[in-house]
Each structure stands twice: as structure tokens, then as C-alpha cells.
């Protein structure tokens, strides 16, 4: 069972830096595991903590949030906001018995294709080691009414 | 005059405060009983479960159901009252979102029973006796409700017509909703009643200056400036993420909003939304400093889900 586990990872990447970094990794034909599904957001500061919880609940084993390096945010301070939210979110996950390593925040610039590939490779390995998330819940058991 | 409305009010897993809030409508309560017969309300009227069972289905016009679902009896009564009522209102934070009893979802069933029956300092239980759902005695079988693994909301077990937030709902809102019912002026099924669509901050008269903070305080650690926004003084106030309708009752009384009216429309997780507000008010751009500021919040998860853990995305702890 453990052998066949393929982590499902959701990546929220900011439009200006990290998404461009992922693009560069693609056009440079860098190899990285195919486990990540990318969602492009305008800014890492747009990633509401509830998006992360929802992704985990609906089947993700890990969530990567990536934005511009400190000081480089297209909207000046969105990435700092993302960083502060992320710190609280990790605290919250721990209290609920969810491994906080399942959520990771990284700064990846548009020029860092190789870094993007490396982060995804590392993160996929982390999640593979943790195994499937227990936080997933079948939609039926959360549905309202009976 | 047309026939009087038949109303009921019932408590499941709760503190009884919602019933008291209905009685707290004071002289307006007399208007209520003038327009309606109370056919079931354990706090005020001596009518038993078997009497309710004898009602024809749909006999009760409106049932205000308060309290969360934490055991099999709560669920049984929810189903019974659903059958006997034309309109079922999830009344108060407990019924709507799990409420304060929902904080039990930070533990599991086993942990709670073990704490209560084996570990608490005042417990003397050398034989490790736990309550059983059935116990054979000479006279027959005694039964107790089954204690569930997790606390649920009313809508988790039955179909709910209206949701009325508050811990408890504000008296003026109870009167408003009651008048709307009497006038037959109810919104579409599934609506939230007795509340606003704007946040508590919109109802709060404190001055907001977009100030950021270097530390958080617990309420006993600071005497807040009575004019200025509490959050901007470092007191975690859930006003920005919370539905109004209470008239900002807590900030008016110098206390932070704890979120009893639940999330605003369109918000999928009340606590997660509030993290965004907290993150915005902190003045720290390096992770170490920001983490230190967050560490001053005493119970980070409990604060976010004080009134609605069972209705949140996280819902309960995972083993
Ligand atoms: S919502 Fe509040 S007042 Fe009403 S029963 Fe629950 S704890 Fe008590
Ligand atoms: S955060 Fe609290 S104190 Fe500040 S404006 Fe909103 S409700 Fe009022
Ligand atoms: S201020 Fe907040 S906690 Fe207080 S009554 Fe209003 S919604 Fe509830």
C-alpha cells in the first residue's frame, strides 16, 4: 500500500515570480515529480488560509504556497502577509493533529526555475514520507442535512 | 383572530442560555405568548417527550431548536421535532455551528470519557466504571443515551429551515424574528435570520486607524482605550470576520468580539478568515518576530473556533 502512494500536492503560485519560475523550469526542461497541480494566483497574499484547509480537506496531501522573495512583491507587502498567515496556519494544523510539514511556504523568483524544480522534488519526498493525509474527508460526511 | 401559532423551544447539548434569552425578551415575551401557544419548552412548560410524540406530524408551526448534537438523545429529539414541526430553526450558535460544546471536538470520545470518569482530581473510580447505554438491574434494563465521537450541528442530522446565530441570539433579534414569523414574512428556506450581512466592525463605533501592533494582549493584561479599535490595541477581536446583528455588543462593553454570530456570507471557514485579519494587523516582516507576536495568543485554535468548531473545515482533531 505504502509503495503505491502518490502524493497529491496543490501549489498556489504567485503570478509575478513563482509561476514564472515554474514556467522557466518547464521551458528549461528541468525534471521534477509530476505530483504538483498548480493554481496561479495574482499574489501569495491572495492565498486565504481557508484555501489551504479546503485543499487539504478535498484530497491534497500537501500544499505549497510560493511567492516573490521578501522585498520583491509586486504588491509590496502581499508576501509578508502570506508569511504571517502561514505561521498561524501551521500552529493551527498542529493543534488539529495534522502534520504542519504538509503546508510549505517558499520564495521563488522568476529566474529560479532550478529552485522551483528542487523545491517540488523535496516537498514531494517530504509528503511521500509522511504518507496520505488523514485530513481528507469524503464529501458525504461533511454534507449538511440527512 | 386567526388560530394562534404553536411554537416549541428545545435544548439539546447546550447551556440553556438560549431559552433564557427567549424569556429575556421581557414584556415582549407577553406579546409572544399572545400570538402563540407554547406547546413544548422544557424550561417553562411541563410537557414531556411522549406528549410531543402524540402530536400529529407538522403540528408545531415553529420550533426553535437550540443546542448541538452530542449524543443519541439529542439526535433522536432533533428528528422527532423535525417531524412534528413545519418550520425548524437552528437557534443560537450551538445548534447552528456546534457552539461552545463543539470545542469538545478538540478531543475525542475516549479522551473525554477518560478525563471525566478516571482522571479528574475529584474522581474516585477504582473499578473504572464507565456509563453504559444499557444496564441490567433487577427491575429491568436501564438506558442512557450513547455519547458520540464528535459534536455535530443540527443541520448535520436533520433538514433545517432557518439559522439564527448568537450565543445567545440578541433579544431584539428574537423579537424581530418572532414578529416576522407571526406576519408570515419569512425569507427563503435556508436563510440566516436575526442577523446582519455586515460585519461586527460595521456596527462598532470604535475608531479604526489602520494601526499595526507589536504584541497581543489577553483581556486581563491591559485596560483598553475605550474609543479605539480593540484589535489595533493588540486585543484579538473577531469583529472583522464575524457577522453582525448583535450591535457589536461585546466591543461596546470593552470586550473583544469572540465570533458568536459566525462567519460572514461566502466565508467557508470563520477561523481561517480571521487569521487573515490577525496577519494584517501585525507589524513584523521577519518570520521570527512575527512568530513571537503570535505566541502571545494563548489558545490559537480555540480562539478561532470558540463558537463553531463542528461547522469549520477542520471540524475535529485527527488521531
Ligand atoms: S448558543 Fe450560547 S446561549 Fe445558546 S445554548 Fe449555546 S452556549 Fe448557551
Ligand atoms: S476589530 Fe473589534 S473593536 Fe475593532 S472595529 Fe472591529 S469590532 Fe470594533
Ligand atoms: S460582539 Fe461578537 S461575540 Fe459579542 S455578541 Fe456580537 S458577535 Fe457575539
Amino acid at each position: 500500500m505504502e509503495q503505491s502512494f502518490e502524493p497529491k500536492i496543490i501549489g498556489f503560485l504567485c503570478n509575478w515570480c513563482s509561476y514564472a519560475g515554474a514556467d522557466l523550469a518547464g521551458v528549461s526542461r528541468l525534471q521534477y515529480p509530476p505530483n504538483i497541480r498548480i493554481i496561479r494566483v495574482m499574489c501569495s497574499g491572495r492565498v486565504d488560509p481557508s484555501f489551504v484547509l479546503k485543499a487539504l480537506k478535498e484530497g491534497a496531501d500537501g500544499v505549497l504556497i510560493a511567492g516573490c522573495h521578501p522585498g520583491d512583491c509586486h504588491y509590496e507587502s502581499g508576501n509578508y502577509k502570506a508569511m504571517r498567515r502561514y505561521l498561524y496556519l501551521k500552529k493551527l494544523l498542529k493543534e488539529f493533529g495534522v502534520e504542519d510539514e504538509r503546508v510549505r511556504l517558499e520564495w521563488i523568483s522568476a529566474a529560479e526555475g532550478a529552485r522551483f524544480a528542487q523545491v517540488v522534488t523535496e516537498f514531494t519526498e517530504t509528503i511521500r514520507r509522511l504518507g496520505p493525509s488523514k485530513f481528507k474527508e469524503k464529501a458525504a460526511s461533511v454534507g449538511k442535512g440527512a | 383572530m386567526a388560530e394562534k401559532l404553536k411554537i416549541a423551544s428545545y435544548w439539546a447539548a447546550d447551556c440553556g442560555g438560549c431559552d433564557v434569552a427567549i424569556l429575556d425578551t421581557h414584556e415582549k415575551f407577553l406579546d409572544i405568548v399572545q400570538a402563540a401557544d407554547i406547546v413544548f419548552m422544557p424550561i417553562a412548560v411541563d410537557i414531556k417527550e411522549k406528549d410531543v410524540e402524540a402530536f400529529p406530524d407538522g403540528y408545531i408551526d415553529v420550533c426553535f431548536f437550540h443546542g448541538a448534537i452530542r449524543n443519541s438523545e439529542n439526535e433522536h429529539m432533533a428528528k422527532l421535532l423535525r417531524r412534528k414541526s413545519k418550520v425548524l430553526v437552528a437557534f443560537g450558535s450551538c445548534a447552528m455551528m456546534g457552539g461552545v460544546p463543539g470545542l469538545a471536538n478538540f478531543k475525542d470520545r475516549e479522551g473525554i470519557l477518560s478525563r471525566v470518569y478516571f482522571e479528574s482530581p475529584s474522581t474516585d473510580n477504582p473499578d473504572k466504571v464507565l456509563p453504559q447505554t444499557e444496564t441490567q438491574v433487577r427491575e429491568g434494563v436501564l438506558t442512557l443515551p450513547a455519547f458520540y465521537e464528535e459534536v455535530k450541528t443540527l443541520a448535520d442530522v436533520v433538514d433545517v429551515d432557518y439559522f439564527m446565530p448568537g450565543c445567545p441570539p440578541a433579544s431584539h433579534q428574537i423579537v424581530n424574528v418572532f414578529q416576522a414569523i407571526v406576519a408570515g414574512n419569512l425569507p427563503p428556506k435556508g436563510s440566516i435570520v436575526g442577523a446582519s450581512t455586515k460585519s461586527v466592525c460595521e456596527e462598532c463605533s470604535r475608531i479604526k486607524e489602520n494601526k499595526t501592533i507589536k504584541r497581543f494582549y489577553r483581556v486581563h493584561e491591559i485596560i483598553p482605550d475605550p474609543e479605539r479599535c480593540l484589535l489595533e490595541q493588540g486585543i484579538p477581536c473577531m469583529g472583522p470576520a464575524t457577522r453582525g446583528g448583535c450591535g457589536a455588543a461585546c466591543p461596546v462593553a470593552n470586550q473583544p468580539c469572540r465570533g458568536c454570530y459566525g462567519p460572514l456570507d461566502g466565508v467557508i471557514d470563520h477561523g481561517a478568515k480571521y487569521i487573515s485579519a490577525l496577519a494584517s494587523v501585525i507589524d513584523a516582516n521577519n518570520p521570527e518576530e512575527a512568530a513571537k507576536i503570535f505566541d502571545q495568543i494563548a489558545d490559537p485554535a480555540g480562539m478561532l473556533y470558540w463558537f463553531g468548531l463542528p461547522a469549520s473545515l477542520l471540524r475535529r482533531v485527527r488521531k
Side-chain angles (χ1 to χ4, degrees):
Chain A
M1 200 55 217
E2 207 52 32
Q3 281 311 85
S4 65
F5 169 60
E6 275 306 326
K8 280 203 194 77
I9 296 172
I10 295 291
F12 292 105
L13 309 188
C14 89
N15 180 52
W16 304 99
C17 294
S18 308
Y19 190 83
D23 219 22
L24 182 63
V27 295
S28 317
R29 303 186 167 230
L30 296 172
Q31 293 281 330
Y32 62 87
N35 301 62
I36 188 162
R37 276 80 161 162
I38 292 171
I39 298 174
R40 171 155 59 158
V41 290
M42 289 311 279
C43 177
S44 55
R46 176 67 185 90
V47 183
D48 189 280
S50 53
F51 298 176
V52 178
L53 299 183
K54 195 155 193 270
L56 289 170
K57 181 138 191 171
E58 293 190 356
D61 299 294
V63 178
L64 174 70
I65 307 162
C68 309
H69 284 271
D72 289 348
C73 174
H74 190 82
Y75 305 98
E76 282 179 38
S77 60
N79 53 356
Y80 293 121
K81 219 173 253 185
M83 175 272 289
R84 295 191 292 258
R85 288 177 185 159
Y86 164 82
L87 290 172
Y88 203 106
L89 191 61
K90 281 175 90 82
K91 260 175 185 285
L92 191 64
L93 290 176
K94 266 197 237 165
E95 284 207 45
F96 279 92
V98 183
E99 304 89 342
D100 67 332
E101 301 106 293
R102 291 192 186 277
V103 182
R104 180 161 168 170
L105 176 73
E106 287 290 344
W107 309 132
I108 300 167
S109 83
E112 293 176 322
R115 184 167 153 71
F116 175 78
Q118 186 210 334
V119 164
V120 174
T121 309
E122 262 177 43
F123 190 42
T124 308
E125 278 324 301
T126 306
I127 302 297
R128 201 184 293 283
R129 185 171 45 74
L130 289 173
S133 162
K134 347 172 231 201
F135 192 54
K136 300 180 197 175
E137 225 166 60
K138 280 190 223 82
S141 62
V142 259
K144 300 281 175 191
Chain B
M1 187 181 151
E3 212 186 313
K4 279 173 106 179
L5 283 172
K6 295 184 193 67
I7 61 169
S9 170
Y10 182 72
W11 45 26
D14 77 8
C15 78
C18 277
D19 258 337
V20 174
I22 295 176
L23 301 177
D24 262 353
T25 50
H26 303 295
E27 72 284 355
K28 290 273 173 32
F29 188 68
L30 299 176
D31 298 345
I32 295 180
V33 288
Q34 203 140 73
D37 283 331
I38 297 171
V39 295
F40 184 51
M41 185 179 192
I43 198 176
V45 184
D46 187 20
I47 293 165
K48 307 288 191 217
E49 183 193 334
K50 65 172 176 13
D51 305 316
V52 178
E53 264 162 25
F55 294 163
D57 286 359
Y59 176 78
I60 301 166
D61 290 298
V62 183
C63 174
F64 298 108
F65 191 102
H66 40 103
I69 308 297
R70 117 82 64 235
N71 65 33
S72 56
E73 184 196 35
N74 302 150
E75 181 164 353
H76 165 75
M77 288 305 288
K79 289 187 169 149
L80 175 66
L81 287 163
R82 170 68 281 184
R83 213 166 57 241
K84 302 295 175 186
S85 309
K86 290 194 190 82
V87 174
L88 183 69
V89 183
F91 186 92
S93 313
C94 293
M96 180 168 154
M97 307 179 288
V100 172
L103 287 169
N105 285 3
F106 278 119
K107 298 266 181 281
D108 55 16
R109 178 179 188 276
E110 207 182 295
I112 292 169
L113 291 179
S114 143
R115 167 77 195 162
V116 173
Y117 291 97
F118 307 148
E119 294 154 25
S120 83
S122 57
T123 298
D124 180 22
N125 184 6
D127 299 332
K128 303 256 180 240
V129 179
L130 276 177
Q132 303 297 313
T133 51
E134 290 191 353
T135 308
Q136 185 71 48
V137 292
R138 206 163 351 116
E139 294 79 3
V141 177
L142 296 176
T143 60
L144 279 178
F147 187 72
Y148 287 171
E149 177 71 30
E150 60 171 23
V151 176
K152 302 176 191 185
T153 70
L154 181 60
D156 284 331
V157 299
V158 292
D159 189 33
V160 170
D161 298 300
Y162 297 104
F163 298 86
M164 186 162 177
C167 179
S171 313
H172 72 277
Q173 295 288 11
I174 297 174
V175 173
N176 287 348
V177 168
F178 190 75
Q179 281 164 348
I181 293 169
V182 173
N185 188 20
L186 278 166
K189 184 179 148 102
S191 299
I192 289 175
V193 294
S196 138
T197 51
K198 300 207 173 103
S199 72
V200 171
C201 288
E202 302 261 345
E203 298 181 337
C204 174
S205 54
R206 288 174 174 268
I207 299 157
K208 289 150 264 213
E209 299 163 309
N210 285 323
K211 285 226 163 82
T212 51
I213 54 149
K214 284 280 186 199
R215 68 158 293 183
F216 285 115
Y217 296 91
R218 301 180 72 181
V219 283
H220 62 273
E221 292 172 329
I222 183 177
I223 295 176
D225 178 330
E227 311 277 314
R228 286 182 45 225
C229 168
L230 295 168
L231 186 54
E232 293 179 7
Q233 296 183 64
I235 300 171
C237 173
M238 286 189 77
T242 302
R243 181 186 293 277
C246 60
C250 301
V252 162
N254 245 358
Q255 289 294 312
C257 170
R258 259 85 187 215
C260 83
Y261 268 56
L264 285 152
D265 285 338
V267 171
I268 53 170
D269 191 278
H270 195 186
K273 192 79 208 165
Y274 189 52
I275 292 179
S276 297
L278 282 177
S280 306
V281 84
I282 287 186
D283 174 19
N285 281 345
N286 83 67
E288 289 74 32
E289 194 189 358
K292 257 199 215 120
I293 299 176
F294 276 135
D295 282 343
Q296 290 157 342
I297 294 177
D299 175 9
M303 180 188 73
L304 297 180
Y305 299 104
W306 202 315
F307 296 96
L309 184 52
S312 71
L313 282 174
L314 290 149
R315 196 174 170 96
R316 62 181 165 84
V317 288
R318 303 299 194 277
K319 271 180 264 185

